[in-house]
Amino acid sequence: MELPGIAVAVWMFVGLCASVLGYPNGKVREACTSMVPCHGGSPQLSPEHAITVNGTEFKPGDSIEVRLSGPDFEGFFIQARDAEHLGSPAVGSFVLADRRHSQLLTCGRTKNSAVSHTSKAKKKDIKVYWIAPGDAPKHVQFLATVVKKYRIFWVKIPGPIVSQPDALSPTPPSHATSEAMSTSHPVSHISKPFSASGCGMTKFCIRNPANCDPGSASCFFLSFQHEESSVFIEMSGPSEGYLAFAFSHDQWMGGDDAYLCVNEDHRVHVSTAHLKERSHPLLDAENALEDVSWRFADGVLQCSFRRSVRLPAYTGRFNLDTSYYIFLADGEASEGGLIHKHHRQPLVTDGLYNVTGLPQDIGGSRAPRLIKAHGALMFIAWITTVSIGVIVARFFKPVWSHSFLLGKELWFQVHRMLMLTTVILTSISFVLPFVYRGGWSHQAGFHPYLGCAVMALTIFQPLMAGFRPSRHAPRRQLFNWFHWSTGTTARILAVVTMFLGMDLPALDLPDPWDTYAMIGFVAWHVGTDVLLEIHSYCLIRKVEVIEDDRVQILQSLTSAEAEGHLFKQIVLTIYVCGNIVFLVAFLVAINQV
C-alpha cells in the first residue's frame, strides 16, 4: 500500500469518484448513467426541489424551458430520458440560460445532453432549454440530482413528462426512479463503549496501544467476529473527524478495500470505498453494509456494521476469508463530511492476517520497520559515536597521550574507531529509506536533501583523514581546520535533519516530547563541551602561575595534570552515561510508534 501517510495517509480524501459535489466544478461525466453522487451514505427520500417545464408536448427540434428550483443547493445534474425506460441514455440536448451557474456536459455520444453546476456557490433556481432530437422517444421525462451539501443529496428527482403529439399515455417504468434507494439501511445507536472481552478467543482484534481498553480515550480498536457467512466489525478511537480501516495485499496504499466512519455534525456516516494509490478514496455509491450503528461521545468515535464474507456483486470488496495487511487511520473531516488526509501514518499490521481465521489479539505499527531502523541507526551514530568521538579527540590527547593501543595512541584509536562506526551506521541507515520507498521521497520536505549532505560529508571526512599531513608538516594546521569545520558542519546538519525527520509521517515520534528531548541532547553536548573548555583554560592558567613562581615546578605540574585528567575522566563517564540515556529514550520511542 505511505502511508510515509498514512498511511499509513490517512490516505484521505476528496474522490476522483463519479460524483456531483465530489467535483465542485461540476464536471461529472462519470455520473452520466447512475446520476448518483459518490459521497457515501444514502440519498434523501423526500425531495425538497422541483422540476417544472413550460409545455407538455414537443416535436423534433422544439425548445422546452426546464427549471429546477427549491431551497439553497450547491450541486445539480439534469438529464432528459425516455420516460418508459429511465435506465436508457440521455436524450436530446440543452442550451444554457445562465453560464455563471450552469454548464453543458456530454453524456455518451450525445453532445450537450446534460447540465451541471459550475461551482459550489449556493443557488435557488436554474433555468435551461431542452432541444428535442429528431429521433426522440414518444415520451421524455426530466430527472435531476440535487446536492444540498456533501452528505445531503437527492438522486433522480422525477420531473414532468413531455410527449409528442398523439402519443399514448406512457407506461410507468418497472423500477423505482432512484437507483440508490436500495442502498439505504437502518442505522441504530451504540449505547456504550466496545469491549475487548473475547479478543483472541472469539474475535480478531487490533489494538493500539497494545492491550488498551476500547473504553479509554486513547485506544484505537478494531475487531472482527466471524458469524457463519458474515463478519461483524467494530471500530473505535479518539477522533472528531473520521476513522477508517482498509484491507491491502501489501503495505502500500493502492488497490485497497476501505471502510470509513465519518463524523458530520455529531452524526456518523458509514461508507465503503476503494483506495487508488495515494490519492483520495473513491467512495462507493452502493453500500454493502448491514446492521450499521454508531456513537460519538467524549471525543471517541465508534461504529459497527456487518458485511458478508464474500460480496461477488460488489466491485472492489475483498473476500474476508483471505489474508491481508490491515490499515487503521484517523483524521479530520470538514463541513459536509468531507474527509482530509490522515495527519499521521496509519497503523499497519506487521504481517498478513485472515480475520475469519484463528482469533488473535494483535497490535500494529505506525512506522515501517525499515524507517524505524533508519531512525535508530542515525540516533546511535549521531547521539553516541560521533559525540563521544569528538569529545575524546578534543580533550583527551593529553590524558591518554602515554597509553597505546595497537601501536597508536589510545585517544586516536578510540576516536578513529568511533568515527568509522559512524560512517558504517550512517551509510547503512542512508540506504534504508530508498529501499523502502523504491526511490526518492518527494513528500519528506528538506529532510532527504539534508540527509544527502550529511552522507556526503560523512564519507568525505575519512577520505580527507587518509591524506592527513605529518604532525609537524606546514600544512597540518590547514588540515586540522578543514577536518574540524567539515566534522562540525556534518554534526550541525545531522541534528537539523533529525529534528525534521522526527515529525515526518513515516516515523512521527510523540510531540512535543521528541523536540524537547532533542533540544535537551544538544544542550547536554554543548554544556559538556563548554565545561571541558573552561576546565582546560583554567588548568593552563594554573600551570602558568606555577611556572612563574618557580617553586616545586615538577611536583606541582604533575599534581595539576593529575587533577585535570581525573576531572576529565569523570566528566567523560557522566557524559557517556547521559548520551546512553538519551539514546535509549529515543530508541524506546521509535519502538512504540
Side-chain angles (χ1 to χ4, degrees):
M1 253 165 128
E2 164 197 131
L3 281 241
I6 281 176
V8 136
V10 135
W11 298 333
M12 316 241 178
F13 281 69
V14 169
L16 297 174
C17 52
S19 66
V20 174
L21 187 59
Y23 290 87
N25 61 8
K27 297 185 181 298
V28 291
R29 294 183 181 88
E30 291 85 348
C32 282
T33 301
S34 68
M35 298 184 72
V36 178
C38 192
H39 298 175
S42 302
Q44 307 299 306
L45 299 180
S46 301
E48 298 178 354
H49 307 80
I51 306 171
T52 57
V53 296
N54 67 345
T56 58
E57 289 189 355
F58 71 91
K59 291 182 294 185
D62 282 355
S63 173
I64 293 181
E65 179 184 287
V66 182
R67 301 184 75 105
L68 172 65
S69 58
D72 285 347
F73 56 95
E74 296 181 351
F76 68 91
F77 193 46
I78 301 174
Q79 284 186 359
R81 295 191 180 184
D82 185 340
E84 297 180 298
H85 303 282
L86 291 178
S88 60
V91 298
S93 60
F94 288 91
V95 175
L96 301 180
D98 182 0
R99 295 183 178 276
R100 294 175 304 166
H101 297 119
S102 57
Q103 63 181 325
L104 299 172
L105 297 178
T106 297
C107 284
R109 299 181 179 180
T110 308
K111 187 176 182 180
N112 301 334
S113 55
V115 185
S116 72
H117 54 283
T118 57
S119 70
K120 291 173 62 177
K122 294 186 182 301
K123 49 196 80 73
K124 291 179 179 292
D125 183 81
I126 293 294
K127 181 173 71 173
V128 295
Y129 297 96
W130 179 71
I131 309 300
D135 58 348
K138 295 296 182 181
H139 307 281
V140 173
Q141 184 172 22
F142 296 98
L143 303 174
T145 289
V146 178
V147 178
K148 186 173 182 178
K149 61 179 183 177
Y150 191 77
R151 290 282 185 179
I152 301 178
F153 56 89
W154 294 262
V155 175
K156 290 185 179 178
I157 298 172
I161 296 177
V162 294
S163 305
Q164 296 194 43
D166 302 325
L168 298 176
S169 298
T171 302
S174 59
H175 58 278
T177 58
S178 176
E179 295 177 0
M181 297 304 178
S182 62
T183 66
S184 179
H185 297 289
V187 177
S188 61
H189 295 275
I190 300 169
S191 60
K192 60 182 180 180
F194 296 138
S195 171
S197 176
C199 286
M201 294 178 289
T202 60
K203 57 186 180 181
F204 185 100
C205 297
I206 299 173
R207 293 192 270 177
N208 180 253
N211 301 318
C212 64
D213 180 6
S216 71
S218 60
C219 181
F220 288 92
F221 177 76
L222 180 62
S223 72
F224 304 86
Q225 188 163 5
H226 188 199
E227 301 173 349
E228 296 181 352
S229 62
S230 66
V231 176
F232 185 69
I233 300 170
E234 297 175 325
M235 176 167 58
S236 67
S239 175
E240 297 194 2
Y242 72 87
L243 291 174
F245 77 90
F247 297 109
S248 176
H249 296 290
D250 53 36
Q251 292 183 302
W252 294 93
M253 288 181 62
D256 308 320
D257 179 10
Y259 301 80
L260 318 174
C261 296
V262 185
N263 175 32
E264 180 195 354
D265 298 330
H266 295 276
R267 291 184 60 83
V268 178
H269 300 274
V270 182
S271 307
T272 56
H274 182 71
L275 297 181
K276 185 178 180 181
E277 296 179 350
R278 298 184 65 187
S279 61
H280 300 297
L282 308 180
L283 302 183
D284 297 325
E286 294 183 294
N287 201 334
L289 308 180
E290 300 175 347
D291 298 337
V292 176
S293 301
W294 62 269
R295 179 175 185 253
F296 180 69
D298 301 323
V300 176
L301 180 61
Q302 295 174 255
C303 64
S304 63
F305 52 88
R306 186 185 313 279
R307 63 146 285 187
S308 298
V309 174
R310 291 176 174 267
L311 291 169
Y314 292 86
T315 304
R317 300 282 73 80
F318 292 0
N319 294 330
L320 298 188
D321 52 2
T322 306
S323 296
Y324 305 102
Y325 289 98
I326 304 172
F327 285 65
L328 179 60
D330 65 291
E332 298 178 353
S334 59
E335 183 180 357
L338 183 64
I339 55 180
H340 303 277
K341 180 181 178 181
H342 43 81
H343 53 78
R344 59 177 173 172
Q345 190 84 351
L347 182 76
V348 186
T349 58
D350 57 5
L352 295 163
Y353 291 95
N354 183 348
V355 297
T356 61
L358 182 67
Q360 298 186 55
D361 187 5
I362 64 172
S365 174
R366 293 189 182 273
R369 290 181 177 178
L370 289 178
I371 299 300
K372 283 186 173 183
H374 167 75
L377 292 177
M378 285 299 187
F379 279 124
I380 294 172
W382 296 94
I383 284 183
T384 53
T385 58
V386 160
S387 302
I388 296 171
V390 168
I391 292 291
V392 167
R394 179 72 182 88
F395 299 105
F396 280 79
K397 290 180 183 178
V399 178
W400 294 339
S401 60
H402 302 296
S403 300
F404 294 87
L405 179 64
L406 300 177
K408 296 285 186 178
E409 293 176 331
L410 179 60
W411 73 266
F412 177 77
Q413 293 286 50
V414 171
H415 172 73
R416 183 165 63 177
M417 178 190 67
L418 291 173
M419 293 308 178
L420 288 176
T421 301
T422 299
V423 173
I424 294 172
L425 293 176
T426 304
S427 300
I428 296 173
S429 178
F430 179 78
V431 173
L432 296 181
F434 291 96
V435 174
Y436 172 70
R437 300 288 184 189
W440 184 266
S441 174
H442 297 282
Q443 301 174 339
F446 290 104
H447 179 77
Y449 297 97
L450 293 176
C452 289
V454 171
M455 186 70 252
L457 292 173
T458 302
I459 296 297
F460 181 66
Q461 269 290 74
L463 293 178
M464 181 170 56
F467 296 93
R468 178 178 65 253
S470 61
R471 182 169 299 179
H472 302 291
R475 293 179 297 171
R476 181 58 181 259
Q477 194 66 28
L478 183 63
F479 165 81
N480 289 343
W481 188 89
F482 271 110
H483 191 60
W484 174 86
S485 60
T486 303
T488 301
T489 301
R491 289 162 56 207
I492 293 173
L493 289 179
V495 169
V496 173
T497 306
M498 286 190 289
F499 263 113
L500 296 176
M502 291 187 301
D503 289 326
L504 288 176
L507 190 59
D508 196 19
L509 297 184
D511 289 322
W513 173 88
D514 56 348
T515 300
Y516 293 149
M518 184 57 71
I519 292 174
F521 164 71
V522 172
W524 173 254
H525 177 78
V526 172
T528 302
D529 202 296
V530 170
L531 177 64
L532 290 175
E533 286 285 0
I534 293 173
H535 173 264
S536 296
Y537 174 78
C538 293
L539 183 61
I540 292 173
R541 293 293 299 160
K542 184 175 182 179
V543 171
E544 289 177 350
V545 170
I546 292 174
E547 287 181 339
D548 289 341
D549 291 345
R550 304 288 182 182
V551 178
Q552 295 180 341
I553 294 177
L554 291 177
Q555 183 178 355
S556 299
L557 281 173
T558 302
S559 176
E561 288 179 353
E563 292 176 5
H565 294 175
L566 178 61
F567 178 81
K568 288 181 179 179
Q569 290 173 343
I570 293 174
V571 170
L572 178 63
T573 302
I574 296 174
Y575 176 72
V576 171
C577 291
N579 280 25
I580 292 174
V581 170
F582 279 108
L583 176 63
V584 170
F586 280 115
L587 294 182
V588 169
I590 289 174
N591 183 60
Q592 291 180 344
V593 295

